[in-house]
Amino acid sequence: MEDFDFENFDGEFDPSKPNNKNVDETLKELEERLRSEKYSSNNIELLEEIISIYLRHAKYDEALHFADMLLEYVPYSGESWYSKGLALSHLERHREALECFTKAASLNPSEAEFSIACGLSLDSL
């Protein structure tokens, strides 16, 4: 840590800024576990983690691919639809993102973040 690193002033590990090599290795390991544990109850957690990492590192096509896989397991999860919407939004596919955010908001109307994402998508259109 540099002396004037104000973003991480307490010296803790910042998962949003890991070494790219570590990120690639982590993703490779997670994807391998996903393949080896096919149809396991761990798939949902693995997919959520993979999507989260891809979104954090601006790999939106990959995040979208795994979000579609996740939705095969949990089609009634607002969080899953929201993740897919985020990937689509960053890919500037705003109409499709709006559909995902709307679905997320209908599945979990108490989650304000989903409704806000709908509004931001409408604004982008």
Side-chain angles (χ1 to χ4, degrees), residues 66-86:
F66 286 101
D68 284 332
M69 288 175 65
L70 179 60
L71 284 166
E72 290 178 22
Y73 287 98
V74 286
Y76 299 106
S77 165
E79 283 292 330
S80 299
W81 284 102
Y82 179 74
S83 294
K84 181 176 181 176
L86 284 176

Side-chain angles (χ1 to χ4, degrees), residues 49-107:
E49 189 168 352
I50 291 168
I51 294 164
S52 175
I53 293 170
Y54 276 132
L55 287 173
R56 260 196 323 262
H57 292 88
K59 296 183 178 187
Y60 304 117
D61 286 318
E62 293 89 341
L64 181 58
H65 169 73
F66 286 101
D68 284 332
M69 288 175 65
L70 179 60
L71 284 166
E72 290 178 22
Y73 287 98
V74 286
Y76 299 106
S77 165
E79 283 292 330
S80 299
W81 284 102
Y82 179 74
S83 294
K84 181 176 181 176
L86 284 176
L88 288 165
S89 180
H90 285 289
L91 292 169
E92 302 205 13
R93 294 166 57 182
H94 300 294
R95 190 167 309 280
E96 293 170 86
L98 177 59
E99 291 172 13
C100 292
F101 293 141
T102 301
K103 180 78 170 177
S106 70
L107 290 169

